[in-house]
Amino acid sequence: MATVRLADYRPAPYLINRTDLTVRLFADHALVDARLAFSPNPGAADLPPQPLVLAGLNLQLEALAIDGIPHQPGAGELGDQGLCLNTPPQRPFELSNRVRIDPHSNTTLEGLYVSGGLFTTQCEAEGFRRITFHPDRPDLLSRFRVRIEADRDTAPVLLCNGNCIETGDLEDGRHYAIWDDPFPKPSYLFALVAGVLDEASDTFVTASGRTVKLRLHVEPGDLPYTAHAMASLQRAMRWDEQRYGLEYDLDEFNIVAVRHFNMGAMENKSLNIFNSKLVLADGETATDGELERIESVIAHEYYHNWTGNRITCRDWFQLSLKEGLTVFRDQSFSADRHGASLNRIDNVAMLRNTQFREDAGPTAHPVQPDAYQAIDNFYTTTIYEKGSEVIRMLHTLLGEETFMRAMALYVSRHDGSAATCDDFVQAMEDAAAEQPLGASFDFGQFRRWYHQAGTPVLEIQRHWDGERGELELHIRQHTPPTPGQPDKLPLVIPLVLGLVGQAGKALPLELATAEPATPATAPLPPAWGHHSRLVVIDRAETRLRCTGLPRQHHPPALSLLRQFSAPVKLTIGRPPAELVHLLAHDSDPVARWDAGQQLLRRALLARASGHVDGQLEDELVDALGRILADPSLSQASRATLLSLPGLAELEDAALEAGQAPDPPALFAAVMALQRHFGTALREPLLRLLDESRDQWPLAWPQGQGDRQLGGLVWRWGIAAGMESLMNEALQAVRGTSMTLARYGLAALQNHDRPQREAASAAFYERWQHKPVILDSWFALEASAPFGDGLARVSDLLEHPRYDPNAPNSVRAVLGGLASNAPMFHAADGSGYRFMALQIAALDQRNPITASRLAKVLSRWRSYGPERSAAMHDALVKLANATLSTNTREVVEQCLAD
Ligand SMILES: [Zn+2]
């Protein structure tokens, strides 16, 4: 397998000025005529002459010409990876070719393929080479004009990027459409869709008064489920104008919903293609969480029009340039819309349960990797979510005003071109330099966030001098080794902290000079919690001295990492009483939630290792009881403060405590703690359930917190054996709110009771003809933790409604199994073996989905000896199968020493 390295990047020898395509679609094949206008790249003039490489995969070349003169590929010029012209003309020239392709048998879902009779495309990252011969690299932007021809009956709708400039009839019942995209773009942003589609349309008037036509294209019958997506799009467009001053630039914007799709969605210029589960939704067919996710993904893809499309990536090592930044933008949009703190907590929980785990395993990589074999393997939470955290830190360090000036500078500098992560940071640095005081940190050092993998750890020790009222903090930072990176350098870490006094009030934080150098600090606005201070940690060791505090025996409670100001882990011995105090009084909602999470993690780890920490659990019951009774909290805040940490996070916590994680024991601990809380807090839980019911019928986003709290009470109450709640949950599954139905299913999920069986059957009966919804049923069935799990999963894979070519279905069943701790992690290794066989089979059809799934076997080293050996065996079996480049890269990373 060839390794691609950032260090090998060279500008392309030729630019492409135009890409003209004619795509003829037929019932069993497609013909693609391409004309590419090349000219020597002045930016590569200093380099020695290079051959012209046109990538091409599974293309049958039927004709090739240079400036209209037929060209017979010479010896070694045509291979399975494409076409390499050894002596291309050293002047502008036109290369034309015709290829035949087979979209109908393309199960990889890359390039041009057919999904449920619909022709569709996915070109990011390297799918365009499955459509025609092309350099197919992101730094080559060209203007596209595309003519599509197809049968009018089977493909009445013909869509492509840009503006439709001509349509007409052809012989034999065929027709055509010509699309012209005035904005030069890289080939990965090309998209084409043809088929039978219904259309929902609306308009959007931009800030400067232009009317944009918005169209949503869905499978026939799905029109009733498009209103939410359309409204989300309009809100997202308005927000980008208001916050970033960025307007849409074409006269039309199209979204197509496709059932068979490897990813969530794709930001192709003016023709976004979405996994249908991220478009089709209303209150009856989607949960509150799904509605919010759809809104954020629609915003995300739309925001790419500027951060991704107008300014694109120079090479795939810069993927986070567009993804990290666009995730940051969509998170800011969701925060503005639904409340910053709860949104932040959701994102932090997600980061801890996915990205931190990736950072600690064999596939750890930096936000800007420096080598890959299959770029598809790098669409990771590190590139997306950690990339967003890095941008958030810049925002925190620079402040809103400077950050926005830097964004404007970045856009004005790089619009219409391909840029690098460093170009982005440079714009930030230049904007900061214009401030009167300059930046409070070193940008060169900050850039290490892009190059060092692993989650940094802040180890904090404190010394309290109660007689003088002085608190000294000794902060050490280090980043653990990751594959290929044994040693790490100190990073710039914005640490936001505050102090909470004995009466629960925030204390002003006076920082005295420190040794060996005083770190930069700044007070922050109250949105960060009262009396918060930003401290820039940029050395391996930092000492801080806080003076003027109340003279008392106990130190004030230390609130750390407010708003989760940096993607790091903390090591600090804070006694339970201090965390309980923070859980009750911290004015920063994120740090407050986090204090509770730490207590809950401790209680769960104790249970998983066979000892119930009765004193801690009693304190937790009291603290949670106070939260349930606190009239100043919303139902959503209560539900969030009471939510239990995820299993992935618990596995990490076990490792940090020096124990081999035992996933079935952790799962059992969660069940047991739910049962305990459900019993001990029965009265206040039932009282709040009563209060929340009235709000359940309200339409999203109203009533969301009440439904969330209802779901939590069901889960805990049912775990505690409350029959009346089992019946209520079952009724909800039969009701009209998808949110309540799914909370009901989730609450019953782990209990082998007649109500669960009835709920599952009712849900299936009702939604069996709606694949988007039925996937959630597949996932629940595959993750049921009782009975013969593998037999049940085998049956699901043979189920008449299971679609092996739909990644959503595959992820539902196999992902459901992977999240089923007792089955997947069965001590005899049967779950691992089963999964390895399934991944090998899936890899034959769809390498992208298979290689992502293969990462569920990546943590074999972290389990106890028995599981570790069994997971390793499964990986070795997988390594011995015939695998795609994608899956092989992941498997070899997992097995590497
Ligand atoms: Zn994206």
Side-chain angles (χ1 to χ4, degrees), residues 134-147:
H134 196 274
D136 198 17
R137 44 188 285 173
D139 59 347
L140 285 181
L141 284 66
S142 62
R143 271 194 69 161
F144 278 65
R145 179 169 291 193
V146 181
R147 177 186 168 100

Side-chain angles (χ1 to χ4, degrees), residues 124 265-267 300-301 304 307 319 322-324 326-327 330 379 384:
E124 185 178 2
M266 176 64 209
E267 72 263 21
H300 177 96
E301 305 308 331
H304 269 314
T307 51
L319 184 55
K322 74 178 178 80
E323 295 306 344
T326 306
V327 169
D330 83 55
Y379 285 75
Y384 281 66

Side-chain angles (χ1 to χ4, degrees), residues 190-450:
F190 168 80
L192 177 155
V193 171
V196 180
L197 290 161
D198 281 355
E199 176 187 313
S201 71
D202 205 333
T203 55
F204 178 84
V205 180
T206 67
S208 61
R210 273 185 317 105
T211 300
V212 180
K213 187 159 194 195
L214 309 177
R215 298 196 288 162
L216 253 148
H217 309 267
V218 296
E219 280 181 32
D222 284 339
L223 274 184
Y225 310 108
T226 53
H228 173 66
M230 183 65 85
S232 299
L233 175 61
Q234 289 162 327
R235 280 194 291 269
M237 293 175 86
R238 188 63 73 214
W239 185 88
D240 213 18
E241 294 182 341
Q242 290 168 347
R243 277 295 292 277
Y244 282 82
L246 296 173
E247 273 188 31
Y248 188 60
D249 52 10
L250 280 163
D251 299 334
E252 81 174 88
F253 187 82
N254 289 286
I255 290 178
V256 182
V258 177
R259 167 74 179 145
H260 296 89
F261 205 68
N262 275 332
M263 330 210 171
M266 176 64 209
E267 72 263 21
N268 318 294
K269 181 76 186 185
S270 76
L271 177 54
N272 286 188
I273 298 179
F274 271 64
N275 191 318
S276 46
K277 76 167 182 174
L278 289 170
V279 172
L280 305 175
D282 62 13
E284 209 171 318
T285 58
T287 64
D288 294 339
E290 286 164 348
L291 291 171
E292 195 166 322
R293 175 152 163 74
I294 288 171
E295 182 186 65
S296 81
V297 176
I298 290 211
H300 177 96
E301 305 308 331
Y302 172 74
Y303 296 152
H304 269 314
N305 190 50
W306 280 96
T307 51
N309 300 1
R310 292 278 292 250
I311 304 175
T312 193
C313 301
R314 189 193 71 173
D315 52 71
W316 292 119
F317 299 102
Q318 321 298 332
L319 184 55
S320 195
L321 172 73
K322 74 178 178 80
E323 295 306 344
L325 178 54
T326 306
V327 169
F328 174 73
R329 276 153 51 68
D330 83 55
Q331 287 178 348
S332 310
F333 165 69
S334 298
D336 280 358
R337 196 161 142 64
H338 301 291
S341 296
L342 292 180
N343 197 265
R344 184 69 185 135
I345 289 170
D346 284 349
N347 291 333
V348 173
M350 196 271 204
L351 192 78
R352 280 198 178 135
N353 282 286
T354 57
Q355 200 278 323
F356 278 19
R357 154 169 288 216
E358 180 168 77
D359 244 351
T363 59
H365 56 275
V367 172
Q368 186 181 70
D370 51 18
Y372 62 78
Q373 288 169 348
I375 183 58
D376 310 309
N377 287 335
F378 285 83
Y379 285 75
T380 60
T381 54
T382 298
I383 301 290
Y384 281 66
E385 274 73 24
K386 188 174 181 182
S388 165
E389 292 296 320
V390 170
I391 292 183
R392 181 180 298 273
M393 286 189 287
L394 283 170
H395 183 272
T396 299
L397 288 161
L398 297 175
E400 166 82 1
E401 210 186 305
T402 306
F403 180 86
M404 282 303 180
R405 266 197 295 115
M407 271 302 300
L409 180 65
Y410 167 69
V411 169
S412 69
R413 260 184 202 171
H414 299 287
D415 186 15
S417 71
T420 62
C421 294
D422 200 53
D423 290 331
F424 177 83
V425 181
Q426 193 59 51
M428 293 281 143
E429 183 168 0
D430 293 346
E434 284 170 14
Q435 300 205 100
L437 295 172
S440 59
F441 61 99
D442 178 57
F443 271 88
Q445 190 186 352
F446 185 86
R447 283 174 169 85
R448 288 177 191 155
W449 279 107
Y450 284 91

